[in-house]
């Protein structure tokens, strides 16, 4: 009998009861910051841990288990899995699995299909020969967890550097998930998690395409993610996707569409009793839509609602896609609204405050804030501050920040500064901008 099973039975606890305890403990540890994110636990998973040669838990799960049983996981019977193998599997390319029309099975792409940014590449990823050719390809929980972690990593990199270099690898991951869904063998619970991961990759891919300036592709992926959310009843995915769509609609100068997306997201938010941080994000998205069409009255009301919800604080139910909405970012988003409404003095004050408190590690968000600050200062006739903000934004681009949206802002700033080319330092700055936006 394994030690972890002996401990459970000594307390006369069922596996179901222990899983509930672990889930509640994970929530507490996550809220205290002792683990990066809350792991999920299931009876099926726990049964494997009590068996012979239990699978090695993920780091956050190991922490929860160790705290719960008050001893290192090594004493519970777990051992790290060896990464060495006398006969490593032979790797081979797997044909890309491309989507057919609704109701049709996935088909293998032709080897002669052209490779470009608008069509999927003729490969998917690499996997072992066994898994690729087996008629009994069983999907494991560890594989799904690994993909979910990869999706989280993509989102984190986007927050730091931008989406220009992320949409291609994310697309490859998404195709692989669809391959697993359509060709693999798994139970209903794991199938739901696979579809959730697919939805996460799809809406993230839409966002990365949007940030990279690929607006048509972004709308396509957002639509696909929203359709998936409707089919599976995933209101969380629907909220996130509609929030993304609202942000894109503003940049496409479709303010009324942005408002409709944000309000539809509210409907889905009520279905899962979304936490206040989600409601704050949806409110500021609605405010941005109102600002773009010049509706100051409704914009003000939405901004107040966003701040009221935001001031309620964070909670352990906040989804990871709202963590970017800190004080600096909400201040920046309000400043963007003020700028769209023509309130340049108020916008400059808010954007300067936001830029001063932005996390330096998140260069894309800071770069976007600096670009808007430069535009606001320019609108106020404050050329010196516009020049300073633009120089700082260019330094971020030089440092590796990769966001087409930020670069596009530089084009608009270039055109605005060109009218002041005789001012000190402007002529050289215009030349510097042209090296990035030519």
């Amino acid at each position: 009998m394994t030690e972890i099973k002996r401990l459970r039975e000594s307390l006369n606890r069922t596996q179901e009861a222990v899983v509930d305890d672990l889930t509640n403990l994970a929530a507490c540890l996550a809220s205290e910051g002792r683990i990066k994110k809350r792991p999920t636990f299931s009876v099926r998973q726990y049964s494997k841990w009590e068996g012979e040669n239990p699978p090695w838990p993920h780091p956050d799960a190991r922490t929860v288990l160790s705290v719960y049983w008050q001893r290192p996981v090594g004493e519970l019977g777990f051992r790290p899995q060896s990464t060495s193998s006398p006969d490593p599997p032979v790797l081979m390319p797997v044909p890309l699995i491309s989507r057919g029309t609704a109701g049709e099975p996935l088909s293998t792409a032709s080897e002669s299909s052209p490779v470009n940014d608008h069509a999927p590449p003729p490969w998917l990823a690499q996997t072992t020969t066994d898994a690729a050719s087996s008629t009994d390809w069983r999907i494991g929980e560890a594989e799904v967890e690994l993909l979910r972690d990869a999706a989280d990593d993509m989102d984190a990199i986007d927050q730091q550097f931008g989406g220009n270099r992320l949409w291609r690898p994310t697309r490859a991951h998404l195709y692989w998930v669809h391959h697993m869904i359509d060709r693999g063998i798994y139970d209903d619970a794991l199938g739901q998690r696979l579809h959730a991961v697919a939805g996460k990759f799809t809406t993230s891919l839409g966002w990365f395409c949007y940030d990279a300036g690929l607006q048509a592709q972004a709308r396509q992926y957002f639509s696909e993610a929203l359709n998936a959310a409707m089919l599976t009843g995933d209101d969380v995915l629907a909220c996130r996707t509609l929030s993304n769509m609202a942000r894109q609609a503003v940049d496409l100068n479709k303010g009324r569409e942005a408002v409709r997306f944000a309000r539809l997201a509210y409907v889905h938010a009520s279905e899962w009793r979304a936490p206040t941080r989600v409601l704050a994000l949806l409110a500021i998205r609605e405010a941005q839509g109102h600002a773009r069409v010049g509706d100051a009255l409704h914009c003000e009301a939405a901004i107040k609602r966003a701040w009221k919800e935001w001031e309620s604080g964070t909670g352990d139910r906040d989804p990871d896609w709202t963590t970017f909405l800190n004080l600096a970012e909400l201040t920046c988003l309000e400043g963007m609204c003020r700028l769209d409404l023509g309130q340049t003095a108020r916008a400059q004050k808010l954007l300067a405050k936001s830029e001063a408190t932005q996390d330096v590690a998140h260069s894309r968000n800071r770069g976007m804030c600096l670009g808007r600050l430069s535009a606001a200062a320019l609108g106020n006739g404050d050329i010196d501050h516009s020049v300073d903000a633009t120089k700082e934004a260019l330094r971020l681009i030089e440092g590796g920040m990769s966001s087409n949206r930020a670069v596009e802002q530089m084009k608009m700033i270039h055109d605005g500064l060109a009218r002041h080319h005789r001012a000190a330092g402007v002529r050289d700055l215009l030349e510097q901008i042209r090296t990035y936006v030519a």
Side-chain angles (χ1 to χ4, degrees):
M1 180 184 296
T2 58
E3 179 64 11
I4 192 172
K5 183 175 181 179
R6 187 194 66 77
L7 287 170
R8 177 181 62 79
E9 292 185 349
S10 70
L11 298 175
N12 197 27
R13 301 278 287 170
T14 64
Q15 290 182 343
E16 289 81 359
V18 172
V19 166
D20 288 341
D21 291 344
L22 291 172
T23 300
N24 293 331
L25 177 59
C28 293
L29 295 179
S31 65
E32 294 170 3
R34 295 172 64 181
I35 56 178
K36 292 182 179 179
K37 62 181 181 180
R38 186 171 57 188
T40 56
F41 298 93
S42 67
V43 174
R44 183 170 178 267
Q45 176 190 53
Y46 198 83
S47 298
K48 291 182 179 180
W49 285 341
E50 289 192 350
E52 297 298 328
N53 300 317
W56 184 241
H58 290 281
D60 289 335
R62 294 200 298 270
T63 300
V64 177
L65 287 166
S66 180
V67 171
Y68 183 76
W69 292 116
Q70 294 296 300
R71 63 194 67 197
V73 291
E75 295 182 11
L76 298 175
F78 295 103
R79 295 291 182 272
Q81 295 176 343
S82 173
T83 57
S84 61
S85 171
D87 267 328
V90 178
L91 297 181
M92 64 173 289
V94 177
L96 174 70
I97 303 301
S98 59
R99 282 279 179 198
T101 57
E104 292 182 358
L106 294 181
S107 58
T108 303
S110 168
E111 292 183 3
S112 61
S113 298
V115 179
N116 55 57
D117 287 346
H118 303 287
W123 64 86
L124 180 58
Q126 286 188 327
T127 186
T128 63
T129 303
D130 305 2
S133 60
S134 173
T135 57
D136 189 25
W137 180 26
R138 296 195 174 275
I139 307 300
E141 292 186 3
E143 295 171 82
V144 180
E145 186 70 18
L146 185 64
L147 285 165
R148 192 182 73 172
D149 290 344
D152 290 341
D153 288 344
M154 295 289 190
D155 289 338
I157 295 170
D158 166 67
Q159 285 295 318
Q160 187 167 2
F161 296 112
N164 283 16
R165 300 190 184 105
L166 288 174
W167 67 270
R168 290 182 181 88
T170 303
R171 186 178 64 174
H173 278 79
L174 177 60
Y175 288 140
W176 182 239
V177 176
H178 283 314
H179 182 53
M180 295 172 71
I181 289 172
D182 289 298
R183 301 297 178 87
I185 297 175
Y186 44 83
D187 59 22
D188 288 343
L190 200 58
Q192 290 178 353
R193 291 173 59 188
L194 268 172
H195 281 283
V197 170
K200 186 179 181 72
F201 271 124
T202 304
T203 199
S204 292
L205 179 53
W207 178 265
F208 302 155
C209 287
Y210 155 64
D211 198 46
L214 305 172
Q215 303 305 335
Q217 290 93 321
R219 287 173 74 89
Q220 175 185 344
Y221 287 118
F222 286 150
S223 296
E224 185 175 335
L226 190 58
N227 286 337
M230 299 300 183
L231 288 171
T232 60
D234 190 339
D235 292 300
V236 180
L237 176 60
C239 279
R240 180 187 179 189
T241 302
L242 286 162
S243 171
N244 290 342
M245 294 172 76
R247 175 61 255 177
Q248 184 196 28
V250 171
D251 280 2
L252 294 178
N253 206 28
K254 298 178 181 290
R256 291 179 179 176
E257 187 176 271
V259 171
R260 287 197 297 270
F261 287 149
R263 289 178 174 173
L264 180 57
Y266 271 114
V267 176
H268 289 279
S270 66
E271 293 296 322
W272 62 288
R273 295 181 295 107
T276 55
R277 193 49 53 99
V278 171
L279 300 181
L281 175 60
L282 299 182
I284 200 64
R285 292 294 190 233
E286 181 182 339
Q288 289 178 301
H290 290 306
R292 183 49 61 103
V293 297
D295 187 345
L297 180 64
H298 286 98
C299 180
E300 289 283 355
I303 288 174
K304 289 179 181 178
R305 193 164 67 249
W307 279 109
K308 180 180 179 181
E309 298 289 1
W310 189 89
E311 287 167 359
S312 296
T314 59
D316 58 12
R317 294 182 62 240
D318 294 343
D320 54 3
W321 43 270
T322 63
T323 55
F324 80 97
L325 193 64
N326 53 24
L327 177 62
E329 187 61 21
L330 187 54
T331 303
C332 177
L333 294 175
E334 181 184 350
M336 291 165 63
C337 290
R338 303 295 178 189
L339 186 59
D340 279 349
L341 289 172
Q343 302 171 4
T344 53
R346 194 169 182 181
Q348 183 177 352
K349 182 178 180 180
L350 286 165
L351 291 165
K353 178 182 178 181
S354 172
E355 192 280 324
T357 56
Q358 284 275 356
D359 182 357
V360 294
H362 291 159
S363 61
R364 195 273 308 284
N365 287 356
R366 186 163 175 255
M368 293 297 300
C369 182
L370 283 163
R372 299 302 175 115
L373 174 58
S374 177
L378 194 59
N380 288 328
D382 189 349
I383 308 304
D384 289 341
H385 281 121
S386 179
V387 168
D388 290 343
T390 303
K391 286 180 177 179
E392 187 62 29
L394 288 173
R395 276 194 286 270
L396 293 177
I397 295 175
E398 291 171 352
M401 188 259 286
S402 174
S403 169
N404 188 71
R405 286 191 296 151
V407 173
E408 287 296 318
Q409 283 190 149
M410 291 297 100
K411 291 182 180 180
M412 293 185 288
I413 292 167
H414 174 279
D415 295 343
L417 284 172
R419 296 191 292 270
H420 306 276
H421 62 275
R422 289 189 175 89
V426 170
R427 191 181 299 275
D428 291 340
L429 182 58
L430 291 174
E431 183 63 30
Q432 189 179 358
I433 293 174
R434 284 193 289 269
T435 63
Y436 291 101
V437 302

